[in-house]
Amino acid sequence: MSDAAESTSPVAAPRLDVSALLQLLCIGGLGVAVLAVILWVLAQWNEGGAGEAVDLATGTVTLTLAQEPPQMDSTRGTDQVSFRILGHVMEGLLRYDENDGLVGAMAERWRIDDQSATFWLRPNARWSNGEPVTAHDFVFAWRKVVEPANASQYAFILYGIRNAEAVNNGEMPVEALAVRASDDRTLEVEFARPVPYFDKLTAFATYNPINQAFYESTDGRYGADADELLYNGPFVISRWVHGASLRLEKNPAYWDADRIQLNAIDHAYITTDANAVLNLFKDDKVALAALNAENLEDALQQRWEINRFSTGSVYFLELNHRPERLTSNYHLRKALQAVNDPAELVYKIIKLPGNLPGNSLFPVWLKGVHGHFRQEHPAPAHTPDEAQGRRYLARALDELGLEELPPLVMLTGDSPSANKQSEYYQNVFKQKLGIDVKIDRQIFKQRLEKMTAGDFDLVAAGWGPDYDDPMTFADLFASWNENNRGRYSNPALDAQVDIARSSSDARTRMGAMAEVQQMLYDDAVILVQYESGSVYVAHPRVQGLVRRVVGTDPDYTNAWIAPLGAG
Amino acid sequence: MAAATLSFEPVRIERDVETVARPSLSYWQDAWIRLKANTRALISLYLVIGLLAFTLFGPLIWRVDPAVQDLDQISVPPGAGRDVTVVNAYTPWQGVTATPLPGEPGRTLAAPAVLAVVGEPTTRAVRLRWEPVPGAASYRVFRNIFDPEPDGALGLPIGDVLNPANVSFEDRLDLKPLTYYYSVVALDGSGAQSDRAAATVAVTRVITAAEAAQKGLIEQASDARPGDVLQLQVHPLGTDYLGRDMLARLMHGARVSLFIGIIAPFAYVMVGILYGSVAGFMAGRADQILMRFADFVVALPFLLFMILFRILFNVQPGDDGIYPMMVAMILLGWPAAARLVRGQILQIREEGYIGASRLLGAKTNYLVLRHMIPNTMGVILVTLTFAVPSAIFTEAFLSFIGMGVAPPTPSWGSMCNEGLKTMLTTPHELIAPAALISVTVLAFNLLGDGLRDALDARMRSTE
């Protein structure tokens, strides 16, 4: 009799029946809808923030930057982002034009022979505060570069000038640098040895002038902010919100202001996220987007016109040669080199057209005596050989007196492609040699700091050309070069670099650099990865964009916006 | 015969007059019955058990190293074709040269005549050659996975042939067993493009016998000859951006997630119980001080402390950040449990049976261990089951922003981070770990919900 009551005991918990499920779905659906509306409203509200990719009326092009320029003091800058901005706001004695020819910038004419060079400056060259650009500004800036206290990593690029090396080493006072302003408009330079490519050097950012009075008025903060800089180039930095945006506007005081057609270049976004940049491009918010392996298919689907160019840079794993590091062991380096397979890296991991498997520090586009350097002096042949690598490793362990190698530290950047490549190498070294690798991901600034301090075993590094001569790569691993982060030091290599930079005979110079190429391979100084290229999509209405191997890239100083329908 | 004497006998004393018809239920048995009646909680319980089995015993059955990179199958979705043809070893190609033909000035370039494939198009290389164009200074080769017609979207500029004497190109870039649309255009000195010559190429996947033996597809290299068709390794859930097996990575990733997700809450709930019961039992001023300290701990920012602990533990870059993460969770996570337990104890210590027990001379230890903590067990268990999903989620979040595991160790959070980058082209890399995180968190939450209902003593008393 109490059976009926039993079945409705309070133990019966709520069951998940159909109506409950429907209810759940309804509530869930409603929640999603409300969220979507809120997001949409927020997106609409945000719309006003940044403009369109190109704006004909105001002559503005909107772009992205990979990161905030770390060093806008031209005597101390070392990275591509800083050089890209410097190339738009500053001008040296000479510059590269839209066809990559050298033309006069601050200098209106010049003369270079084996012993000396003279530059005559333009009378109408002015700083953005209206003061004229004088030869004294160059003397001041160049002395600053070699001044030991300034610790410029690019000081070596001035070593062609007499006494520069001694001044930089603190053996002579800065006044001894053989650069003289004979009057306000004449700059005279004496060489330590013939520098046949000196005209190309003067187009490089480290050779830019600096106004002494202004530099001293900034009290050590020169280049740290938009108003801590004085400009003599086509544009000025009008607004710099650190970490967020950087806006360039046309410089009315620029001597050749008629040539500049854009009124403003707005770097409205600072991000390394390639997908975010591509989405901005898709939404017509930015005028240029580099593609990566992950979004290539997306770009194909959009049926965009895809462009490519070679950046001229070479990427490599640099080994640490400081004696306290394991990688200072020759056989360990050879073991790592033996399992390095650049072709696999490029074709299967990076997967971007434009990149070439690297065989040598000297990229294929460099000019030699007559043709290309690499045709005259082929790179050392390299075939990945796992068994050979293991033999080298066994010898290395023997020499080091170790049973097993402690983990090596590989310093890399924090971009997705750097992650992918470092994980690929981690696996290659583990699977083929049994070496454990720890990946140390750092942001750009931090990575540079750790590279300089030598806090790594391997570091993913790259080198872009500073001027159009194989020399820009050849002296990278000379013992005196500050950019030689692994502190590789080999008197034989130094001797060849010395021959290459002091001889005026092209054949001797190229021969010496071919020796350098061979030594870098034989001694496994670096593991060459690839010569980099880039594929990108550009706004069809932005005309006159110049992409370069050497010099400012991308260069918008000659760009203009085509009217609608004409592009 | 002796029946009469048997007519009387002593009445047996019946002790069990008031027999309980249904078996007596302990607290736990009752809770279990109630939980069983709750379908959602029960399904969640099985899911949790399944997940534990997946991560503990899965790797014993699916013996694939989660760090091994299968570079022939990068980012393949589940169920992709695995056929591969055996070929001879790769030999470099010298290309095809032809004498450049002079062009007539002022005339636009013609499209290259004939675009032909040399040899078999394979995933290792596609070799193209074309007829020289009069006046061409260089050639550019495009590749598309979609038909360039009708709007002439040529696709990827796969290569530049800068020497006009060279009329061939070898494409080795990331070839998949697909159909590709190749186009070749001639460029004059000023960079003006001609029309295109087109070729449609169906690529087959290939492998050499030596590679096949190395990957374990065949016993030894002599077991296969060119032309044989083999099957590549199986990846039930596909592979990630470096060709690593997703299933193996999910199993190993779950270890990190569940390890953190179960150990950390256990530890901090224990700390919370101790702290809360002491505070609750002492009451008064001591309780005030203890609980204000707990409030202070609640106010500490977790992420900041997590970073501080990384420094304190001297976590070198490239090391796992798992332990500092756990210590940070334990040190900052206990106040919630402590508050709950303290509240319960404050309530219980005023109950009559406690007073009775005290009058009978019970010591403090006895009171706490015998009466108070068991009576807060329900609250504690519920807190624990709700703490687990939040801990799993925290771990996933921290690994997602790169503060958790170090590569190549996978965790669900770091897998999501990697999958996110290729969300549009290869969604399976994101969906699998994200789904597992969602299911796990939901299962623990629903289980906690069910436990709360089942353990609630008040619901029991309404019976």
Side-chain angles (χ1 to χ4, degrees):
Chain A
M1 55 169 186
S2 64
D3 276 355
E6 287 281 344
S7 66
T8 56
S9 78
V11 175
R15 283 181 182 279
L16 191 69
D17 53 21
V18 178
S19 69
L21 203 68
L22 273 175
Q23 203 181 354
L24 196 73
L25 275 177
C26 283
I27 293 170
L30 201 71
V32 169
V34 168
L35 203 67
V37 169
I38 292 172
L39 285 178
W40 182 80
V41 169
L42 282 176
Q44 292 301 310
W45 182 49
N46 214 5
E47 214 62 344
E52 297 284 294
V54 295
D55 188 342
L56 184 61
T58 57
T60 306
V61 172
T62 307
L63 299 172
T64 61
L65 272 186
Q67 79 221 7
E68 132 135 359
Q71 183 53 272
M72 286 294 288
D73 176 353
S74 57
T75 65
R76 290 193 293 167
T78 55
D79 65 287
Q80 287 176 346
V81 176
S82 301
F83 285 163
R84 166 177 168 183
I85 302 299
L86 280 172
H88 284 86
V89 298
M90 296 284 181
E91 228 173 48
L93 290 167
L94 309 182
R95 67 176 178 88
Y96 290 101
D97 69 5
E98 60 271 29
N99 301 318
D100 282 351
L102 271 178
V103 294
M106 289 296 106
E108 97 191 305
R109 46 199 183 91
W110 61 95
R111 180 198 55 78
I112 297 173
D113 60 33
D114 272 5
Q115 282 86 43
S116 67
T118 312
F119 296 88
W120 289 274
L121 304 192
R122 285 177 202 286
N124 55 347
R126 276 178 204 292
W127 292 104
S128 49
N129 64 1
E131 284 178 31
V133 177
T134 67
H136 300 285
D137 298 332
F138 284 92
V139 175
F140 173 74
W142 295 8
R143 281 181 181 168
K144 206 84 211 155
V145 174
V146 293
E147 191 181 297
N150 197 32
S152 167
Q153 295 187 354
Y154 258 119
F156 72 92
I157 208 164
L158 265 74
Y159 280 9
I161 302 171
R162 194 153 59 79
N163 297 340
E165 197 167 353
V167 171
N168 193 225
N169 292 336
E171 293 153 13
M172 281 185 173
V174 284
E175 291 73 29
L177 183 73
V179 180
R180 217 159 50 83
S182 48
D183 61 56
D184 271 1
R185 286 180 42 209
T186 317
L187 184 72
E188 289 178 37
V189 185
E190 285 172 53
F191 295 145
R193 49 173 185 269
V195 189
Y197 48 88
F198 193 74
D199 50 345
K200 295 168 185 164
L201 284 181
T202 58
F204 187 65
T206 309
Y207 281 82
N208 285 350
I210 292 177
N211 185 308
Q212 181 170 3
F214 185 83
Y215 184 93
E216 279 157 7
S217 76
T218 58
D219 204 16
R221 284 183 45 80
Y222 181 75
D225 221 327
D227 53 4
E228 309 276 11
L229 269 169
L230 203 53
Y231 311 92
N232 70 332
F235 295 90
V236 298
I237 301 179
S238 62
R239 200 183 65 232
W240 183 358
V241 184
H242 288 274
S245 69
L246 191 142
R247 185 181 168 89
L248 306 181
E249 268 171 28
K250 189 170 169 175
N251 179 1
Y254 179 55
W255 66 273
D256 200 7
D258 291 346
R259 179 172 66 91
I260 309 306
Q261 301 184 54
L262 289 181
N263 287 324
I265 302 172
D266 194 7
H267 301 100
Y269 310 89
I270 296 184
T271 172
T272 46
D273 185 346
N275 285 335
V277 176
L278 195 72
N279 283 333
L280 288 171
F281 182 83
K282 219 184 270 181
D283 295 345
D284 200 27
K285 296 279 181 212
V286 297
L288 184 78
L291 300 176
N292 64 15
E294 281 73 38
N295 55 35
L296 274 184
E297 203 177 313
D298 195 12
L300 288 177
Q301 219 152 18
Q302 299 282 336
R303 304 185 81 83
W304 285 324
E305 188 189 328
I306 303 170
N307 296 299
R308 64 178 261 160
F309 84 109
S310 160
T311 64
S313 303
V314 174
Y315 284 81
F316 43 82
L317 289 178
E318 189 166 348
L319 297 158
N320 198 338
H321 299 269
R322 288 170 178 79
E324 70 273 16
R325 289 284 175 170
L326 289 171
T327 38
S328 61
N329 180 286
Y330 167 75
H331 286 108
L332 175 59
R333 297 202 306 269
K334 285 305 262 187
L336 296 176
Q337 186 184 43
V339 296
N340 177 29
D341 187 349
E344 188 174 73
L345 176 73
V346 168
Y347 295 136
K348 295 204 167 154
I349 307 298
I350 302 178
K351 302 193 284 194
L352 262 188
N355 294 295
L356 294 175
N359 294 317
S360 157
L361 176 65
F362 297 85
V364 289
W365 56 267
L366 284 173
K367 302 225 172 44
V369 183
H370 300 295
H372 284 101
F373 176 80
R374 283 276 293 279
Q375 280 167 350
E376 290 162 8
H377 303 284
H382 174 69
T383 330
D385 186 346
E386 207 177 312
Q388 182 67 35
R390 277 197 295 268
R391 278 195 292 277
Y392 277 129
L393 182 65
R395 288 189 62 178
L397 289 176
D398 241 21
E399 288 167 4
L400 294 165
L402 293 171
E403 280 291 303
E404 203 184 335
L405 207 67
L408 299 178
V409 176
M410 172 151 54
L411 182 61
T412 72
D414 59 344
S415 70
S417 68
N419 288 349
K420 204 158 116 175
Q421 288 173 34
S422 56
E423 281 185 49
Y424 161 75
Y425 272 103
Q426 186 181 42
N427 183 57
V428 165
F429 294 142
K430 177 75 189 160
Q431 299 294 330
K432 298 191 173 166
L433 297 174
I435 297 177
D436 279 314
V437 173
K438 285 187 176 177
I439 297 173
D440 181 1
R441 286 174 186 162
Q442 297 292 350
I443 58 164
F444 187 75
K445 246 180 178 166
Q446 191 65 26
R447 182 159 56 104
L448 271 184
E449 222 159 82
K450 285 195 138 183
M451 279 169 81
T452 312
D455 196 2
F456 63 91
D457 290 309
L458 300 119
V459 57
W463 189 250
D466 300 328
Y467 47 91
D468 191 6
D469 189 274
M471 198 60 220
T472 186
F473 288 95
D475 65 358
L476 185 56
F477 291 99
S479 55
W480 59 78
N481 195 321
E482 289 291 326
N483 288 303
N484 173 3
R485 317 279 180 172
R487 299 255 57 89
Y488 179 69
S489 172
N490 178 358
L493 186 133
D494 287 356
Q496 293 298 334
V497 175
D498 254 333
I499 295 173
R501 63 177 186 171
S502 55
S503 167
S504 54
D505 174 41
R507 199 172 297 276
T508 320
R509 295 185 64 228
M510 297 303 157
M513 287 193 263
E515 287 292 320
V516 172
Q517 172 175 258
Q518 189 65 37
M519 277 180 207
L520 288 176
Y521 181 80
D522 290 346
D523 211 11
V525 180
I526 51 171
L527 312 180
V528 186
Q529 295 177 300
Y530 57 97
E531 293 178 22
S532 92
S534 169
V535 278
Y536 64 96
V537 281
H539 199 285
R541 283 176 64 199
V542 178
Q543 306 282 313
L545 161 66
V546 179
R547 305 294 315 243
R548 288 210 179 86
V549 170
V550 180
T552 312
D553 172 75
D555 184 353
Y556 282 91
T557 54
N558 299 303
W560 72 93
I561 301 170
L564 255 182
Chain B
M1 353 166 218
T5 55
L6 290 172
S7 311
F8 302 95
E9 56 181 89
V11 174
R12 268 185 290 145
I13 299 167
E14 295 225 9
R15 290 179 189 278
D16 300 334
V17 183
E18 294 181 350
T19 313
V20 180
R22 288 160 66 199
S24 160
L25 289 176
S26 77
Y27 179 59
W28 297 107
Q29 283 170 323
D30 174 60
W32 174 236
I33 289 175
R34 252 197 287 224
L35 187 70
K36 271 200 294 191
N38 185 342
T39 328
R40 272 181 304 192
L42 208 59
I43 293 174
S44 304
L45 183 65
Y46 291 140
L47 268 176
V48 168
I49 295 171
L51 275 166
L52 287 173
F54 174 74
T55 174
L56 293 176
F57 306 115
L60 300 178
I61 298 160
W62 183 248
R63 291 169 171 279
V64 173
D65 185 346
V68 162
Q69 301 175 359
D70 184 355
L71 296 183
D72 286 324
Q73 300 189 74
I74 287 177
S75 291
V76 295
R82 294 187 290 119
D83 287 354
V84 63
T85 313
V86 177
V87 289
N88 289 318
Y90 173 81
T91 45
W93 189 43
Q94 298 311 317
V96 181
T97 50
T99 325
L101 306 171
E104 292 169 39
R107 271 191 60 178
T108 49
L109 290 179
V114 189
L115 178 61
V117 179
V118 180
E120 278 294 308
T122 66
T123 48
R124 209 166 47 186
V126 172
R127 291 162 175 176
L128 301 168
R129 62 157 300 173
W130 55 90
E131 292 299 316
V133 174
S138 63
Y139 299 95
R140 182 167 270 201
V141 183
F142 292 88
R143 184 179 90 184
N144 204 339
I145 52 172
F146 305 105
D147 194 344
E149 296 307 333
D151 54 352
L154 299 182
L156 278 186
I158 203 93
D160 284 326
V161 180
L162 296 175
N163 181 358
N166 192 349
V167 288
S168 64
F169 181 77
E170 181 182 38
D171 177 19
R172 294 184 65 194
L173 186 88
D174 187 31
L175 287 156
K176 301 215 171 87
L178 299 172
T179 299
Y180 288 104
Y181 300 89
Y182 283 94
S183 314
V184 174
V185 298
L187 287 100
D188 64 14
S190 65
Q193 278 188 9
S194 73
D195 280 342
R196 69 194 185 101
T200 307
V201 179
V203 169
T204 49
R205 179 154 45 200
V206 295
I207 196 170
T208 63
E211 286 166 353
Q214 201 183 13
K215 283 179 188 285
L217 305 182
I218 47 177
E219 289 281 312
Q220 51 196 15
S222 54
D223 288 357
R225 36 189 77 260
D228 289 0
V229 174
L230 303 174
Q231 294 277 299
L232 287 170
Q233 290 102 318
V234 195
H235 300 291
L237 290 180
T239 58
D240 72 355
Y241 62 104
L242 281 170
R244 296 177 290 202
D245 186 73
M246 286 293 284
L247 181 58
R249 279 175 74 73
L250 285 173
M251 284 171 175
H252 283 83
R255 288 189 168 183
V256 175
S257 299
L258 292 180
F259 175 71
I260 289 266
I262 289 170
I263 302 289
F266 244 99
Y268 69 68
V269 167
M270 284 303 142
V271 173
I273 292 169
L274 264 179
Y275 195 93
S277 52
V278 168
F281 191 81
M282 286 161 76
R285 200 171 184 81
D287 171 53
Q288 283 295 318
I289 294 171
L290 285 172
M291 289 328 282
R292 290 304 78 74
F293 178 70
D295 292 343
F296 163 72
V297 172
V298 171
L300 296 177
F302 175 72
L303 207 57
L304 188 71
F305 268 73
M306 165 84 210
I307 295 167
L308 286 178
F309 280 120
R310 278 175 78 90
I311 297 165
L312 194 71
F313 271 62
N314 196 16
V315 176
Q316 292 298 318
D319 288 344
D320 269 352
I322 292 299
Y323 291 99
M325 191 193 284
M326 218 154 80
V327 171
M329 275 182 175
I330 293 168
L331 288 187
L332 300 181
W334 56 265
R339 278 179 177 169
L340 273 174
V341 172
R342 169 197 171 251
Q344 286 283 310
I345 300 254
L346 275 181
Q347 201 182 344
I348 293 167
R349 73 197 289 271
E350 304 301 331
E351 300 263 347
Y353 62 89
I354 299 287
S357 192
R358 210 192 283 270
L359 280 177
L360 287 170
K363 294 266 176 1
T364 311
N365 280 349
Y366 179 84
L367 282 178
V368 171
L369 292 176
R370 182 69 188 89
H371 287 306
M372 297 193 177
I373 291 187
N375 274 311
T376 54
M377 217 52 199
V379 180
I380 291 166
L381 263 181
V382 170
T383 318
L384 192 65
T385 39
F386 282 125
V388 168
S390 88
I392 290 177
F393 204 79
T394 308
E395 188 279 332
F397 162 69
L398 287 172
S399 287
F400 182 86
I401 62 171
M403 291 194 42
V405 294
T409 314
S411 114
W412 291 348
S414 63
M415 289 175 76
C416 280
N417 184 19
E418 288 150 5
L420 190 65
K421 287 160 201 153
T422 54
M423 188 173 74
L424 291 178
T425 41
T426 51
H428 72 275
E429 289 176 40
L430 175 64
I431 290 173
L436 271 177
I437 292 177
S438 310
V439 167
T440 311
V441 171
L442 185 68
F444 271 103
N445 268 320
L446 288 181
L447 181 63
D449 215 25
L451 274 181
R452 188 181 52 201
D453 291 351
L455 292 175
D456 195 333
R458 260 165 301 177
M459 282 184 84
R460 191 179 194 224
S461 59
T462 60
E463 205 171 325

